[in-house]
């Protein structure tokens, strides 16, 4: 095998790209005999080759036999892929990870220098285009130096070798991909592979995708091959195509991009929603803590940090010892090994300031900061806070975990806004009842006070009992959500009395106003022999 290779190299030593060998090259032809001459073509360069086989026989004119040979294929190959289809697999990388580069050695087995112009094309699965129309103005693939196109000098003595081409060329070719320099790129974009030598090109992969489920990348790099104009044609001997007229040297490339994303497990039945009540401030039950388990489902360690805005706060984020990476990391960052988990504790901090927002909001309208007041027909009110827990990865990508907290705000309702005792005998006490209820899912500590703007004589004739209390949240049928207020009216003079009782809560519930009216009289006919208690 090696001897045959050395023999071919010797035949092609004149570096013309092809050679014909006649065997036998000479001999003696017997009377009425014949001789079989075997013509062998050798080539190390593409092209259409033409020659004449000259048979010289003593005593007669020479006989000329045309010999033709069309050579196709490419004299270039990759050092690592000589005996297989050229395909470069970058493997799986996390989106936003650093640039991945592979250096490939390209061998040129031809006797001529070959200039390569690299272009990369992405292969999309839903691409139904059939043809590409290429429009070239001037040289299709000019020589580039320092970012500028080099215009070759015109040499009149070489013009017979050149075929004049139109200034604007339009060509159609089969569509195989969409030209792009991401996520794959080849550098340098233009290079020369010396004759019977080699050079290197760098294949780069930029792993980035906005697809939350990841992406499978398929592409190919096409290198258009160009030759020196003097090598394109020797009249009557050889003709070679190049640039866009020739099928390019091709390298297929594949890669997978996994999103930098963590799996999320929450405590059973809790999810990412924090449910609390304003009455927890009275009990000191704050903050409300939820536990999340975040898992690294990728095949590479992930470094991240967490960010969340008030009223939420990260309480702890510590992976187990087996999940920690040994690599050094910046302060505040956490690294989780593949297939490992991290326990994250997030707290929701309830405060008086948050509860006070209820009086400044319009129901059903989301305000700045993701806060909104939600009301129901039965008087239940809830403050809803929405924030995003951001997982900021070291590769400049992020993952958003939506958090929501709902605060049940207490409400107070009176069964009647006005109590009218009518006309009563002076000095006789008359009692009426009114019901105070809490329709919300938050307990309420309430107090009843008389409006100080009314005269003291009007305040003294009305007595409310009890003047304070505690109503449980409306969470079940057995909850103590109602209480009865007993109002007693004792007229001191034959005049009209009016007073207002204001029922308010410690958690800034809406004030309820109860108007009390009554009139005193000395007329005995208004005497009530039986004190009838009226419930309203």
């Amino acid at each position: 095998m090696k001897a045959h290779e050395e023999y071919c190299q010797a035949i092609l030593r004149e570096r013309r790209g092809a050679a014909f060998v006649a065997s036998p090259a000479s001999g003696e032809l017997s009377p009425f005999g014949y001789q079989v001459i075997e013509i062998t073509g050798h080539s190390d360069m593409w092209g259409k080759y033409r020659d004449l086989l000259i048979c010289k026989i003593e005593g007669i004119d020479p006989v000329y036999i045309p010999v033709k040979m069309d050579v196709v294929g490419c004299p270039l190959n990759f050092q690592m892929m000589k005996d297989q289809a050229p395909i470069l697999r970058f493997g799986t990388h996390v989106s936003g990870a650093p640039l991945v580069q592979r250096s490939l050695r390209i061998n040129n087995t031809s006797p001529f220098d070959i200039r390569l112009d690299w272009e990369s094309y992405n292969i999309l699965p839903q691409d139904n285009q059939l043809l590409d129309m290429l429009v070239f103005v001037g040289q299709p693939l000019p020589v580039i130096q320092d970012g500028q196109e080099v215009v070759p000098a015109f040499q009149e003595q070489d013009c017979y070798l050149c075929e004049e081409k139109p200034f604007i060329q339009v060509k159609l070719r089969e569509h195989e991909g969409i030209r792009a320099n991401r996520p794959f790129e080849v550098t340098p974009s233009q290079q020369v592979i010396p004759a019977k030598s080699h050079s290197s090109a760098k294949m780069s992969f930029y792993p980035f995708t906005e697809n939350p489920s990841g992406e499978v990348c398929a592409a190919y790099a096409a290198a258009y091959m160009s030759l020196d104009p003097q090598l394109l044609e020797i009249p009557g001997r050889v003709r070679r195509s190049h640039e866009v007229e020739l099928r390019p040297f091709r390298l297929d490339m594949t890669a997978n991009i996994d999103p930098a994303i963590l799996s999320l497990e929450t405590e059973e039945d809790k999810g990412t929603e924090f449910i609390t009540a304003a009455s927890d401030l009275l009990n000191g039950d704050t903050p409300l803590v939820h536990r999340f388990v975040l898992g690294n489902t990728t095949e590479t360690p992930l470094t991240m940090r967490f960010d969340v805005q008030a009223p939420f706060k990260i309480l702890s984020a510590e992976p187990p010892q087996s999940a920690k990476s040994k690599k050094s990391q910046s302060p505040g960052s956490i690294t989780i090994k593949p297939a490992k988990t991290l326990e994250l504790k997030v707290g929701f901090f309830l405060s008086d300031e948050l509860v006070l927002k209820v009086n400044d909001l319009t129901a059903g309208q989301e305000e700045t900061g993701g806060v909104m007041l939600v009301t129901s027909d039965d008087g239940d009110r809830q403050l809803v806070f929405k924030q995003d827990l951001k997982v900021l990865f070291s590769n400049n990508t992020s993952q958003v975990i939506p958090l929501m907290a709902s605060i049940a705000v207490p409400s107070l309702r009176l069964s009647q806004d006005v109590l009218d005792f009518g006309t009563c005998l002076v000095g006789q006490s008359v009692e009426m009842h009114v019901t105070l209820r809490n329709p919300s899912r938050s307990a309420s500590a309430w107090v009843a006070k008389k409006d100080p703007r009314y005269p003291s004589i009007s305040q003294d004739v009305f007595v409310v009992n009890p003047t304070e209390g505690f109503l449980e949240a409306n969470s079940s049928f057995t909850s103590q959500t109602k209480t009865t207020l007993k109002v007693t009216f004792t007229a001191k003079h034959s005049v009209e009395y009016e007073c207002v009782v204001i029922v308010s809560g410690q958690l800034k519930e809406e004030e309820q106003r109860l108007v009390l009216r009554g009139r005193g009289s000395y007329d005995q006919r208004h005497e009530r022999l039986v004190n009838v208690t009226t419930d309203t």
Side-chain angles (χ1 to χ4, degrees), residues 330-472:
S330 58
S333 297
I334 299 174
T335 300
I336 310 178
K337 294 180 180 179
K340 298 297 182 178
T341 59
L342 162 74
E343 182 178 280
L344 181 69
K345 290 183 179 179
V346 180
F348 176 73
F349 285 77
L350 184 63
S351 63
D352 294 332
E353 291 76 10
L354 295 182
V355 177
L356 288 176
K357 289 180 179 289
V358 69
N359 298 322
D360 302 328
L361 300 177
T362 303
Q365 182 176 349
E366 185 170 341
E367 302 291 337
T368 304
V371 58
M372 181 172 61
L373 176 63
V374 179
T375 60
S376 61
D377 295 336
D378 61 357
D380 189 17
R381 298 186 301 168
Q382 285 189 343
L383 273 176
V384 177
F385 291 85
K386 294 181 180 179
Q387 291 286 352
D388 289 333
L389 170 60
K390 296 180 181 179
V391 185
L392 306 175
F393 297 98
S394 59
N395 55 18
N396 298 323
T397 62
S398 63
Q399 179 182 352
V400 173
I401 301 175
L403 302 178
M404 185 176 74
S406 57
I407 306 174
V409 181
S411 299
L412 297 174
R413 293 291 183 269
L414 289 170
S415 58
Q416 190 171 337
D417 296 333
V418 179
L419 283 184
D420 194 344
F421 287 85
T423 303
C424 302
L425 183 65
V426 172
Q428 185 180 31
S429 297
V430 180
E431 184 178 292
M432 297 183 73
H433 294 174
V434 66
T435 301
L436 176 66
R437 66 185 180 92
N438 174 20
S440 70
R441 298 183 181 180
S442 171
S444 176
W446 60 272
V447 61
K449 295 181 179 180
K450 296 173 184 176
D451 193 338
R453 293 176 296 180
Y454 286 82
S456 59
I457 190 172
S458 295
Q459 298 182 38
D460 294 340
V461 298
F462 295 102
V463 178
V464 180
N465 188 43
T467 57
E468 60 183 23
F470 183 83
L471 295 178
E472 296 179 355

Side-chain angles (χ1 to χ4, degrees), residues 107-149:
N107 298 321
N108 181 5
T109 61
S110 76
F112 309 124
D113 293 347
I114 300 178
R115 192 184 82 235
L116 299 182
D117 288 88
W118 288 99
E119 295 176 358
S120 57
Y121 295 84
N122 291 335
I123 302 174
L124 305 181
Q126 303 299 327
D127 189 2
N128 298 320
Q129 186 174 335
L130 298 178
L131 295 174
D132 290 331
M133 185 177 72
L134 308 179
V135 179
F136 300 104
V137 179
Q139 285 185 281
L141 298 171
V143 178
I144 304 297
Q145 287 184 359
D146 300 327
Q148 300 293 327
E149 178 179 343

